[in-house]
Amino acid sequence: MKRTTIAQLNANPAAFADKDVVVCGWTRSVRDMKNFGFVTLNDGSCFADLQVVMNVGEVDNYAQVAALGTGSAVCVHGVVALTPERPQPFELKAAKIVILGESAPDYPMQKKRATREFLRTQQHLRSRTNLFRAVFRVRSVAAFAIHQFFQERGFVYVTTPIITASDAEGAGEMFRVTTLDVDNPPRTPDGAVDWSQDFFGKATNLTVSGQLQAENFAMSFGDVYTFGPTFRAENSNTRRHAAEFWMIEPEMAFCDLEGDMDVAEAMLKHVIRRVMDACPDEMAMFNKFVDKGLAERLEHVASSDFARCTYTQAIEILTAAQAAGHKFEYPVSWGIDLQTEHERFLTEKHFQRPVFVTDYPREIKAFYMRANDDGKTVAAVDCLVPGIGEIIGGSQREERLDLLEARIHELGMDPEQYKFYLDLRRYGTCEHAGFGLGFERLVMYLTGIDNIRDVLPHPRTVGNADF
Amino acid sequence: MKRTTIAQLNANPAAFADKDVVVCGWTRSVRDMKNFGFVTLNDGSCFADLQVVMNVGEVDNYAQVAALGTGSAVCVHGVVALTPERPQPFELKAAKIVILGESAPDYPMQKKRATREFLRTQQHLRSRTNLFRAVFRVRSVAAFAIHQFFQERGFVYVTTPIITASDAEGAGEMFRVTTLDVDNPPRTPDGAVDWSQDFFGKATNLTVSGQLQAENFAMSFGDVYTFGPTFRAENSNTRRHAAEFWMIEPEMAFCDLEGDMDVAEAMLKHVIRRVMDACPDEMAMFNKFVDKGLAERLEHVASSDFARCTYTQAIEILTAAQAAGHKFEYPVSWGIDLQTEHERFLTEKHFQRPVFVTDYPREIKAFYMRANDDGKTVAAVDCLVPGIGEIIGGSQREERLDLLEARIHELGMDPEQYKFYLDLRRYGTCEHAGFGLGFERLVMYLTGIDNIRDVLPHPRTVGNADF
């Protein structure tokens, strides 16, 4: 007999009333009341547990089941009984319980409250807790919502390469990828490591961004997006940094900075709505136990128009706040890179909603961003959200060949390495824009979880590559 | 004025009849007939081009437009005119044509027929050809179809780590990931490379499979799937091997080998149907210019029940064929790993449809596959399809702790490295199964393209990591 999931039962209990079903799952608790007992079962198909009732006379291995520890795997054959008078709308009256796998007594996920720090040492088991089951379901629903958003709008999904011979934008430290014998690498006559003998015939790294390659495809498909892993070998042990994380990078031809912001705003709202609709139990749990303001904040973001201001206006706002007595750790002046404290002041205190800050000083932004006419700023945009700060960074790209070439020379970059990127400006260039969204930041934002290690299935951070 | 895509026009031309629109795209050809001319435009939103008609008196930069080379970017303001009497159902009568970016005369994608080998040197531009635009759209549609298939069935999407300290199943050569200075790595007192000083505190590699980690999540969510990049550092320069490729790996608790095959068959059929429905123009092109039997073959696969036979039966079939005079390069006997020629004989000649071959000899399969009662075989399954051979490999996993531990010892593997994996058998084990689908193999199968380099946006193969 085919198994029925608890999600299927919950979706329409009445349809299963008095029917025989088989439900397989893991025990969360077993209570023995002598002549009868309860098994609380979860099968991972939804947040809710299933209440199983068993009677001594009816379940022939009653004693064995009653002795099961938390986390045992069982299949329950039984009849669905509607229970409008009880807290749960239905229960399963067991006729037969097959024990598939007992849980050893040293099971680390006993029902007592474990700290998130401890659970990080149990990454293979922690998704059996309510908290992590909720986190990873929301992560999955959010990922699909992103694909849906772009696919429904005709964007083409492009998987950009993970192994790359370029350093993209010089953004951060990179991991070397090699098949050379590190103990004894081949050498050139002058004693240097001979990278020409490496697997790809040159030195290669893990990508920090798929943007430049995404542009190749935006210039033929118009609208494209990436969604894949990216890497930073930064030695920063913070709650917000992982060495391996997933990024979404849309890139749109015939699109300026305004259009870029429109897409980013619509995308965030779509994902929030979708997660709130698809995961009401999970979201209620986060709101209750993780972050009490979460539901209100997300509802607010999903229903308000995002503010938009220039970097120059933002500096004026921050300077005024400073003058009025607000203390910032990093002093404010035109030209600085905004720190998280500044970003959070803008979005939480001043605008009290998400805000796009645009037109940053050229010197603090990447070479490919489009020069504004003022000669000082570029058409960059960061999206700041309450509780997090920057969640999205984007820009209109420099589509003018002469300006882009000049900038590459000015920064001492190797034009030969960017030949393909310059070609896009040689052959049918057009205005285009895009942005990058760190997927884990988004999941943190959606769940209220404040440590990136707790939204990655198996996080990779300095000193940690377990499981 | 907001731009309209050619896909929007094609979806419902009548709705745009006599309306003003702006269409932006790239010129595929420009024909000057003296007093009037035609611009064939593509914007990447769909396979079809748009026919633009311009008259000397109406488009004030007519001469400039008429002189544009292939691949120039323009925005055309004009009126949609239905043309039921012409080959194309509508055209755009230009009122104004804004030239955004001319294409330099050395544009490598001129309209003449370029070889696929040449186009591999132009990966940043090749998606502007009909062939590659079709390939990468089908790739995108197929990727989304896979997410849809699993999400609609309640599977949870899990992103398993790319950087890993284990070698998974010992499947193939791995890429080393490091931040050590390869020229002068730190050494232990006895002179070995001191990997404890590497970024993660130990030696790490790029993953070859997310399966073992996916099992962690299947044992809490029931049904999960991965979809991400995997890597092989094999020095094999064939049409079917890339160093970096994407894999889909579903993993299902409370599921045996039969259930595993049911899901694999339903998934393949879903993706084929979805691609045929969403990409009729692209698929017609592949069928006409790439692989004349493609449409018929896919239709056949989507509508037939897949055959199922055991490895032992397959060997009998092949032995009989050999006896009847069929020449195989690799001789057939019980115990061999099936070669592509054997696989293709089974699926193309004998069964003439996709076939699942199950229960392979234990010695040629991975340690985690479930031992059958015969003591000789394991509950493995390969799905063979006409034109390709193996497209899916899967198994029921060994869920019995004692048998799995014994096998790990027997193979001389380090049980400490597999502690997390063994824990899944210690705490609530249950029968479970899964499979792996190489995404590029699937795209090759869907398009008829016979070289993996032509279905990856920027392929990574021995000696090649360009772009």
Side-chain angles (χ1 to χ4, degrees):
Chain A
M1 191 170 155
K2 217 175 133 55
R3 83 176 172 110
T4 302
T5 65
I6 299 175
Q8 287 167 333
L9 295 177
N10 272 318
N12 190 2
F16 290 95
D18 306 321
K19 294 245 164 73
D20 286 314
V21 295
V22 178
V23 178
C24 305
W26 293 272
T27 60
R28 292 177 53 83
S29 69
V30 179
R31 276 174 300 151
D32 177 14
M33 320 294 278
K34 290 245 166 172
N35 290 325
F36 64 98
F38 300 104
V39 179
T40 308
L41 206 65
N42 191 286
D43 66 359
S45 65
C46 60
F47 190 76
D49 298 325
L50 173 69
Q51 172 91 307
V52 177
V53 187
M54 56 178 184
N55 289 312
V56 166
E58 292 160 20
V59 169
D60 55 15
N61 57 347
Y62 181 95
Q64 280 170 276
V65 175
L68 283 178
T70 300
S72 301
V74 298
C75 277
V76 182
H77 301 241
V79 175
V80 176
L82 299 187
T83 53
E85 73 287 2
R86 308 261 178 86
Q88 72 276 8
F90 64 94
E91 59 190 25
L92 184 61
K93 289 181 156 325
K96 183 171 114 182
I97 299 182
V98 181
I99 299 171
L100 303 175
E102 296 189 23
S103 183
D106 62 346
Y107 183 51
M109 303 285 106
Q110 302 293 351
K111 225 194 160 181
K112 63 181 176 342
R113 247 188 147 68
T115 66
R116 290 188 211 162
E117 287 73 18
F118 169 74
L119 291 173
R120 275 177 219 141
T121 69
Q122 306 291 326
Q123 288 168 25
H124 58 316
L125 303 173
R126 67 176 175 171
S127 55
R128 301 180 182 199
T129 64
N130 276 342
L131 179 67
F132 284 98
R133 212 154 4 81
V135 167
F136 294 121
R137 182 180 307 283
V138 165
R139 184 180 166 101
S140 170
V141 168
F144 188 55
I146 285 165
H147 280 294
Q148 273 179 319
F149 176 84
F150 288 114
Q151 295 268 345
E152 283 168 4
R153 280 158 185 78
F155 283 62
V156 169
Y157 177 42
V158 178
T159 57
T160 49
I162 308 303
I163 299 171
T164 166
S166 86
D167 75 347
E169 45 184 297
E173 303 274 321
M174 301 178 84
F175 289 101
R176 173 59 38 101
V177 174
T178 183
T179 54
L180 294 184
D181 178 3
V182 176
D183 187 44
N184 183 25
R187 305 271 178 182
T188 60
D190 63 357
V193 172
D194 185 2
W195 293 107
S196 75
Q197 293 189 45
D198 206 349
F199 189 90
F200 297 104
K202 59 180 99 167
T204 52
N205 303 304
L206 290 179
T207 186
V208 298
S209 161
Q211 178 206 316
L212 303 197
Q213 290 95 345
E215 286 187 49
N216 295 338
F217 291 85
M219 299 309 274
S220 43
F221 285 111
D223 294 331
V224 301
Y225 71 107
T226 73
F227 191 167
T230 48
F231 304 85
R232 294 280 190 290
E234 275 163 33
N235 200 342
S236 49
N237 221 334
T238 80
R239 291 185 294 107
R240 290 155 45 97
H241 290 89
E244 175 180 324
F245 56 99
W246 285 61
M247 283 248 281
I248 296 104
E249 297 183 280
E251 191 71 32
M252 296 152 282
F254 314 112
C255 179
D256 60 14
L257 202 63
E258 292 293 318
D260 205 23
M261 290 187 272
D262 292 343
V263 172
E265 181 169 343
M267 181 199 67
L268 282 179
K269 289 176 172 174
H270 169 88
V271 175
I272 292 171
R273 282 268 170 246
R274 183 77 197 110
V275 166
M276 291 197 302
D277 288 352
C279 307
D281 294 345
E282 286 82 355
M283 296 308 287
M285 194 272 288
F286 293 129
N287 194 56
K288 194 164 174 192
F289 296 112
V290 176
D291 178 352
K292 294 215 189 295
L294 182 70
E296 197 187 346
R297 198 165 63 238
L298 291 178
E299 184 54 55
H300 179 58
V301 168
S303 57
S304 38
D305 287 333
F306 291 16
R308 299 183 182 193
C309 81
T310 66
Y311 168 90
T312 302
Q313 290 165 335
I315 291 294
E316 286 165 10
I317 292 164
L318 294 167
T319 307
Q322 210 170 229
H326 190 94
K327 294 264 179 282
F328 292 114
E329 196 185 334
Y330 295 89
V332 176
S333 67
W334 200 98
I336 64 159
D337 209 354
L338 296 183
Q339 302 296 317
T340 302
E341 59 171 340
H342 306 137
E343 294 173 342
R344 295 188 61 168
F345 180 88
L346 290 166
T347 180
E348 292 168 16
K349 299 276 192 288
H350 186 83
F351 290 103
Q352 298 179 15
R353 56 188 164 132
V355 53
F356 289 109
V357 180
T358 63
D359 304 298
Y360 284 75
R362 179 175 194 250
E363 304 309 325
I364 59 171
K365 288 290 180 182
F367 77 95
Y368 52 72
M369 297 188 178
R370 191 178 196 279
N372 286 329
D373 292 343
D374 62 14
K376 295 190 304 182
T377 62
V378 289
V381 59
D382 281 358
C383 181
L384 317 179
V385 293
I388 295 264
E390 186 204 328
I391 195 166
I392 284 175
S395 71
Q396 191 171 333
R397 318 308 187 187
E398 184 56 80
E399 87 280 13
R400 295 161 294 187
L401 180 61
D402 52 345
L403 287 169
L404 186 61
E405 278 184 322
R407 188 68 177 144
I408 283 175
H409 280 107
E410 189 179 3
L411 293 171
M413 297 159 63
D414 176 11
E416 197 45 46
Q417 241 206 344
Y418 294 92
K419 183 185 175 303
F420 82 85
Y421 194 64
L422 292 165
D423 272 0
L424 301 181
R425 281 74 183 165
R426 252 176 221 117
Y427 308 118
T429 193
C430 69
E431 62 177 8
H432 61 291
F435 61 85
L437 167 71
F439 183 57
E440 282 71 24
R441 290 260 171 100
L442 175 66
V443 178
M444 291 168 74
Y445 186 58
L446 291 167
T447 57
I449 297 284
D450 64 357
N451 195 313
I452 199 166
R453 290 165 184 76
D454 296 333
V455 299
L456 277 155
H458 293 302
R460 269 73 182 104
T461 55
V462 187
N464 287 296
D466 296 335
F467 302 97
Chain B
M1 191 171 153
K2 217 173 133 57
R3 83 175 171 111
T4 302
T5 65
I6 299 174
Q8 288 167 331
L9 294 177
N10 272 317
N12 190 0
F16 290 96
D18 306 321
K19 295 246 164 71
D20 285 314
V21 296
V22 178
V23 178
C24 304
W26 293 273
T27 59
R28 293 179 50 85
S29 69
V30 180
R31 277 174 299 152
D32 176 15
M33 321 294 278
K34 289 245 166 173
N35 289 324
F36 65 99
F38 300 104
V39 178
T40 308
L41 206 66
N42 191 287
D43 67 0
S45 65
C46 59
F47 190 77
D49 299 324
L50 173 69
Q51 172 92 305
V52 177
V53 186
M54 57 178 184
N55 288 312
V56 167
E58 292 160 21
V59 169
D60 56 14
N61 57 349
Y62 181 94
Q64 278 169 278
V65 175
L68 284 178
T70 300
S72 301
V74 297
C75 276
V76 182
H77 301 241
V79 176
V80 176
L82 299 187
T83 52
E85 74 289 2
R86 306 259 179 88
Q88 72 277 9
F90 65 94
E91 60 191 24
L92 184 62
K93 289 183 154 326
K96 185 170 111 178
I97 298 181
V98 181
I99 299 170
L100 302 175
E102 297 189 22
S103 183
D106 62 348
Y107 183 53
M109 303 286 105
Q110 301 294 349
K111 225 194 160 181
K112 64 181 171 349
R113 245 186 149 67
T115 66
R116 289 189 212 163
E117 287 73 18
F118 169 73
L119 291 173
R120 275 178 218 141
T121 69
Q122 306 291 325
Q123 289 168 24
H124 57 316
L125 302 173
R126 68 177 175 170
S127 55
R128 301 180 182 197
T129 64
N130 275 342
L131 179 67
F132 285 97
R133 209 153 7 79
V135 167
F136 294 121
R137 180 179 308 282
V138 164
R139 185 181 166 101
S140 170
V141 168
F144 188 56
I146 286 164
H147 280 294
Q148 273 180 319
F149 176 84
F150 288 113
Q151 296 268 344
E152 282 168 6
R153 280 159 186 77
F155 283 62
V156 169
Y157 176 43
V158 177
T159 58
T160 49
I162 308 302
I163 299 171
T164 168
S166 86
D167 76 346
E169 45 184 294
E173 302 274 322
M174 300 180 84
F175 288 101
R176 174 58 37 101
V177 174
T178 184
T179 55
L180 295 184
D181 178 4
V182 176
D183 187 43
N184 184 24
R187 305 272 178 180
T188 60
D190 62 358
V193 172
D194 185 1
W195 292 107
S196 75
Q197 293 190 45
D198 206 350
F199 190 90
F200 296 104
K202 59 180 98 168
T204 52
N205 303 305
L206 291 179
T207 186
V208 297
S209 164
Q211 178 205 317
L212 302 197
Q213 291 95 345
E215 286 187 49
N216 295 338
F217 292 84
M219 299 309 277
S220 45
F221 285 112
D223 293 331
V224 301
Y225 70 106
T226 74
F227 191 168
T230 48
F231 304 85
R232 293 280 190 293
E234 275 163 34
N235 199 341
S236 49
N237 221 333
T238 80
R239 290 184 294 108
R240 289 153 48 97
H241 291 89
E244 175 181 323
F245 56 98
W246 285 60
M247 283 249 282
I248 296 104
E249 297 184 281
E251 191 70 32
M252 296 154 281
F254 314 111
C255 179
D256 60 13
L257 203 63
E258 291 294 317
D260 204 25
M261 290 186 272
D262 292 344
V263 172
E265 180 169 343
M267 180 198 68
L268 282 179
K269 288 176 172 174
H270 169 89
V271 175
I272 291 171
R273 281 268 171 247
R274 183 75 197 112
V275 166
M276 290 197 302
D277 287 353
C279 307
D281 293 345
E282 286 82 356
M283 296 308 285
M285 194 272 287
F286 293 130
N287 194 55
K288 194 165 172 192
F289 295 112
V290 176
D291 178 351
K292 294 214 187 298
L294 182 70
E296 195 187 348
R297 197 165 64 237
L298 291 178
E299 184 54 55
H300 178 57
V301 168
S303 57
S304 37
D305 287 333
F306 291 16
R308 298 184 183 193
C309 80
T310 65
Y311 169 88
T312 302
Q313 289 166 335
I315 292 293
E316 286 164 9
I317 292 164
L318 294 168
T319 307
Q322 211 169 229
H326 191 94
K327 294 262 178 284
F328 292 115
E329 196 184 335
Y330 295 88
V332 177
S333 67
W334 200 97
I336 63 161
D337 209 353
L338 296 184
Q339 302 296 316
T340 301
E341 58 171 341
H342 306 136
E343 294 172 344
R344 294 188 63 168
F345 180 88
L346 289 167
T347 181
E348 292 168 15
K349 298 276 193 290
H350 186 82
F351 290 103
Q352 298 180 13
R353 54 188 166 131
V355 55
F356 289 109
V357 180
T358 62
D359 304 298
Y360 284 75
R362 180 174 192 250
E363 305 310 325
I364 59 171
K365 289 290 181 182
F367 77 95
Y368 51 73
M369 297 188 178
R370 191 178 196 277
N372 286 329
D373 292 342
D374 62 15
K376 295 189 306 181
T377 62
V378 289
V381 59
D382 281 357
C383 180
L384 316 179
V385 292
I388 296 263
E390 186 204 329
I391 195 166
I392 284 175
S395 72
Q396 191 171 337
R397 319 308 186 185
E398 183 55 80
E399 86 280 13
R400 295 161 294 187
L401 180 61
D402 50 346
L403 286 169
L404 186 61
E405 277 183 323
R407 187 69 178 145
I408 283 175
H409 280 108
E410 190 179 2
L411 293 171
M413 297 159 64
D414 176 12
E416 199 43 47
Q417 240 206 344
Y418 295 92
K419 183 185 175 304
F420 83 84
Y421 194 64
L422 291 165
D423 273 0
L424 301 182
R425 280 75 183 164
R426 253 178 220 115
Y427 308 118
T429 192
C430 69
E431 61 177 8
H432 60 291
F435 62 83
L437 167 71
F439 183 56
E440 281 72 23
R441 291 259 172 102
L442 176 64
V443 178
M444 290 168 74
Y445 186 57
L446 291 167
T447 58
I449 297 284
D450 64 358
N451 195 314
I452 199 167
R453 291 164 182 77
D454 296 332
V455 300
L456 278 155
H458 293 301
R460 271 70 180 104
T461 54
V462 188
N464 287 295
D466 296 334
F467 302 95

